[in-house]
């Protein structure tokens, strides 16, 4: 293994992030400011902007490095750009909320930085051990973020639940990796693929089931979703936004790479498993959300349902299916960013909104926020001409072209059910009497930028869908 700075070019974004994280940690500790959180947050955002620039200048595809443990191609670059953009948006929403909630700690943006580093590492992993290292770096950061409001009992509870269940999933992942290694003799993706194509060991299949179950936990797919509503509700709202936006993108990308690279020989086995995960996630996500009064729990079940739609594209497979997944992930991420951006602007008597009833009469007190949230709710419902409609349309088209008629029909039916609770939010904002005045004061420019950008993308997507579609189609070449 001949390592030079030039030979590590595919790894430059991750190396830069690791160095930036360690430098910012030292700066935060030694800073003479009373609270350097805003400065550290700004520098963290700038670090991810630099990562985006490094990713853009990366060669489209490169040979695996570090003894075949790390790869960079069109697919991984696309996913990493989504991760970086999502993290920048989450950090832009955070400073005011952290200060108002008295949890403005400089470690917050640094933990998000290291979580982002872990996601990028696991997306490019070409070895099961590299995958595990990236996944655990992300998970350990997320455990701390979930419980960062230490004096709040719900936050501590959510952090503990997430840690315990996350530790179980990590154990399942390691056990699966050990079985795969035992029956294939390697943890390298390429060697595993070659071995399974020649001889499909039952032990390796069982190990794969454990690995897929552990990753299903990370994306909140039913029946591994039980942690999601409680963690979303208990964690600080900006952390909930981060959970809903970024880790799912990375985990779904990892699942796609695993299914279509090292375990492509097991397609007959994993097809039925992923089909059932999609079926259950859409159904439970749609019907369980109907009974929710808490906005964050509602968005938790909404994210579970959306994972079901994404898995339709994964099951459909082929370039059309995976391209549909990338398009849907992009649209879903931007819709979710805008939704949380608006919710973080709404408060009453110093308390941020958490109940659906808190939105009553919002259209009379703050029409801009009400109409912006309405556009996002229509888009999440899949109502044309907004971006969410096109995301679901492309997913269902890929399912029909692959003969998955049952999943496509179920997806349409659960979308109709889900429209009820999205439209319920709109009904409360426009037709219910206001409970009390809202404290919508000076909204930070960063929040305004995030919300405006999200609304513009969702509303104007119909005029430039080809850009996202073309970029997604190019990214799929990294898989096929």
């Amino acid at each position: 293994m001949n390592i030079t700075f030039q030979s590590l070019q595919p790894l430059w974004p991750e190396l830069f992030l690791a160095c930036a994280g360690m430098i910012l940690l030292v700066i935060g500790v030694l800073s003479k400011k009373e609270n350097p959180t805003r400065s550290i947050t700004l520098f963290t955002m700038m670090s991810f902007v630099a990562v985006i620039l490094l990713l853009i200048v990366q060669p489209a595809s490169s040979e695996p490095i570090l003894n075949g443990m790390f790869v960079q191609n069109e697919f991984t670059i696309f996913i990493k750009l989504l991760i970086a953009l999502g993290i920048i948006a989450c950090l832009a929403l955070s400073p005011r909320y952290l200060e108002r909630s008295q949890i403005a700690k400089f470690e917050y943006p640094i933990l998000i930085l290291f979580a982002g580093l872990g996601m990028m590492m696991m997306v490019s992993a070409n070895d099961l051990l590299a995958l595990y290292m990236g996944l655990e770096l992300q998970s350990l950061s997320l455990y701390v973020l979930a419980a960062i409001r230490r004096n709040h009992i719900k936050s501590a509870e959510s952090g503990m639940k997430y840690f315990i269940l996350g530790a179980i999933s990590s154990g399942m992942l390691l056990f699966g990796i050990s079985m795969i290694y035992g029956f294939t003799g390697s943890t390298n993706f390429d060697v595993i693929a070659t071995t399974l194509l020649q001889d499909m060991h039952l032990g390796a299949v069982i190990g794969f089931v454990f690995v897929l179950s552990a990753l299903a936990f990370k994306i909140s797919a039913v029946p591994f979703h039980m942690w999601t509503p409680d963690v979303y509700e208990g964690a600080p709202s900006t952390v909930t936004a981060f959970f809903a936006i970024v880790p799912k993108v990375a985990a779904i990308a990892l699942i796609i790479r695993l299914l279509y690279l090292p375990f492509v020989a097991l397609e007959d086995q994993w097809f039925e498993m992923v089909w059932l995960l999609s079926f259950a996630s859409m159904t439970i996500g749609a019907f369980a959300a109907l009974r929710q009064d808490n906005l964050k729990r509602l968005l938790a079940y909404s994210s579970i349902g959306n994972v079901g739609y994404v898995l339709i594209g994964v099951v459909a497979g082929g370039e059309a299916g995976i391209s549909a997944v990338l398009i849907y992930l992009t649209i879903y991420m931007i819709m979710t960013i805008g939704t949380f951006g608006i919710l973080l602007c709404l408060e009453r008597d110093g308390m941020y909104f958490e109940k659906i009833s808190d939105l009553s009469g919002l259209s009379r007190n703050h029409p801009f926020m009400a109409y912006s949230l309405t556009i996002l709710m229509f888009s999440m419902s899949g109502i044309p001409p907004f971006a969410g409609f096109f995301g679901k349309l492309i997913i269902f088209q890929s399912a029909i072209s692959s003969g998955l008629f049952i999943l496509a029909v179920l997806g349409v039916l659960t979308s109709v059910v889900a429209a009820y609770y999205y439209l319920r939010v709109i009904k409360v904002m426009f037709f219910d009497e206001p409970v009390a005045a809202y404290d919508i004061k000076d909204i930070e420019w960063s929040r305004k930028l995030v919300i405006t950008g999200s609304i513009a993308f969702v509303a104007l997507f119909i005029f430039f869908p080809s850009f996202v579609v073309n970029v997604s189609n190019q990214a799929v070449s990294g898989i096929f």
Side-chain angles (χ1 to χ4, degrees):
M1 184 167 57
N2 184 23
I3 296 179
T4 64
F5 184 69
Q6 188 62 37
S7 69
L8 293 177
Q9 184 178 0
L11 199 60
W12 284 357
E14 287 78 7
L15 290 173
F16 176 82
L17 267 188
C19 294
M22 290 184 284
I23 291 169
L24 290 175
L25 189 59
V26 173
I27 291 173
V29 171
L30 300 180
S31 175
K32 295 182 180 179
K33 283 187 178 181
E34 185 176 342
N35 192 344
T37 305
R38 277 186 175 266
S39 302
I40 300 293
T41 300
L42 179 61
F43 283 123
T44 305
M45 292 170 65
M46 291 170 59
S47 298
F48 279 100
V49 171
V51 165
I52 290 174
L53 296 176
L54 286 172
L55 288 169
I56 291 173
V57 301
Q58 288 277 317
S61 186
S62 63
E63 291 296 319
I65 61 172
L66 302 180
N67 272 352
M69 298 187 77
F70 186 95
V71 294
Q72 189 81 291
N73 54 43
E74 295 89 340
F75 181 80
T76 61
I77 290 173
F78 179 87
I79 295 297
K80 288 178 184 180
L81 287 172
L82 282 186
I83 291 170
L85 289 171
I87 289 176
I88 290 171
C90 290
L91 289 171
L93 299 175
S94 299
R96 177 70 62 87
Y97 176 87
L98 296 176
E99 291 168 0
R100 300 281 296 221
S101 303
Q102 299 181 341
I103 51 173
K105 307 176 189 300
F106 75 87
E107 295 92 342
Y108 176 88
I110 296 174
L111 285 167
I112 288 183
L113 184 150
F114 282 119
L117 173 60
M119 293 175 209
M120 291 185 176
M121 289 296 296
M122 74 185 198
V123 166
S124 282
N126 199 48
D127 188 281
L128 292 175
L129 293 181
L131 177 159
Y132 180 75
M133 294 296 291
L135 192 65
E136 284 306 291
L137 177 57
Q138 169 207 295
S139 298
L140 291 172
S141 301
L142 296 184
Y143 299 151
V144 180
L145 284 169
I148 199 166
R149 191 162 47 179
R150 290 180 296 178
N151 298 325
H152 193 278
I153 188 167
K154 278 193 174 182
S155 181
E157 179 187 350
S158 71
M160 184 58 68
K161 285 180 178 177
Y162 191 32
F163 172 72
I164 292 172
L165 293 171
I168 293 172
S169 75
S170 295
M172 292 170 62
L173 179 65
L174 276 178
F175 183 72
I177 290 173
S178 67
M179 290 196 69
I180 292 166
Y181 174 72
F183 285 94
T184 63
S186 177
T187 55
N188 183 272
F189 285 5
D190 300 327
V191 177
I192 292 172
T194 303
T195 305
L196 292 178
L197 284 169
Q198 294 172 351
D199 187 6
M200 193 181 302
H201 298 281
L202 177 61
V205 175
I206 295 173
F208 167 73
V209 172
F210 277 99
V211 170
L212 184 59
S213 300
L215 294 178
F217 170 89
K218 300 299 181 184
I219 61 172
S220 311
V222 176
F224 306 98
H225 67 292
M226 69 291 292
W227 61 273
T228 313
D230 291 340
V231 172
Y232 275 39
E233 181 184 8
S237 295
T238 52
V239 175
T240 302
F242 180 63
F243 282 2
I245 295 165
V246 188
K248 281 185 171 58
V249 174
I252 288 169
L254 178 59
I255 287 173
I256 290 170
R257 292 194 68 244
L258 283 174
L259 296 183
Y260 286 96
L261 293 174
F263 299 110
V264 68
L266 306 181
E267 184 171 0
D268 291 340
Q269 283 74 24
W270 62 250
F271 178 89
E272 295 179 1
M273 289 188 287
V274 180
W275 194 100
L276 288 172
L277 289 175
S278 176
F279 180 95
S281 298
M282 287 189 292
T283 307
I284 299 298
F287 286 96
L290 294 176
R291 299 178 57 84
Q292 302 306 315
D293 292 320
N294 185 286
L295 280 166
K296 291 201 284 186
R297 291 184 74 88
L298 174 69
L299 290 171
Y301 282 109
S302 170
S303 74
I304 292 168
N306 280 291
V307 164
Y309 300 131
V310 169
L311 291 177
I312 291 178
V314 176
V315 176
E319 294 190 16
I322 304 306
S323 177
V325 169
L326 298 183
I327 294 167
Y328 194 89
L329 283 176
T330 304
I331 294 172
Y332 168 73
M333 187 181 83
I334 294 174
M335 291 191 301
T336 309
I337 287 169
T339 302
F340 276 99
I342 292 170
L343 295 180
L344 287 168
C345 294
L346 305 177
E347 55 182 297
R348 181 187 291 124
D349 299 327
M351 300 293 291
Y352 286 92
F353 287 9
E354 291 206 357
K355 300 283 187 182
I356 295 176
S357 57
D358 290 335
L359 296 170
S360 57
L362 181 64
S363 61
R364 304 179 199 179
N365 291 299
H366 208 293
F368 173 76
M369 289 295 178
Y371 283 102
S372 297
L373 191 55
T374 298
I375 290 173
L376 292 167
M377 292 295 103
F378 277 143
S379 183
M380 285 190 168
S381 303
I383 295 175
F386 301 111
F389 166 76
F390 293 99
K392 290 185 178 179
L393 177 64
I394 295 169
I395 284 285
F396 297 152
Q397 281 180 336
S398 70
I400 291 171
S401 64
S402 298
L404 302 172
F405 301 109
I406 295 176
L407 274 187
V409 171
L410 182 72
V412 173
L413 294 177
T414 52
S415 292
V416 173
V417 175
Y420 169 80
Y421 56 78
Y422 291 127
L423 297 178
R424 177 186 169 201
V425 173
I426 298 172
K427 176 260 181 186
V428 169
M429 290 192 296
F430 284 87
F431 298 104
D432 286 11
E433 290 295 324
V435 177
Y438 298 90
D439 300 330
I440 304 177
K441 298 176 183 177
D442 298 330
I443 301 175
E444 290 181 303
W445 66 267
S446 57
R447 280 188 189 173
K448 289 180 181 176
L449 187 63
V450 170
I451 295 169
T452 305
S454 176
I455 298 297
F457 177 88
V458 168
L460 303 178
F461 182 83
I462 189 173
F463 298 109
F464 56 91
S466 58
F467 174 74
V468 178
V469 172
N470 291 338
V471 173
S472 300
N473 289 338
Q474 292 172 8
V476 170
S477 62
I479 295 291
F480 299 99

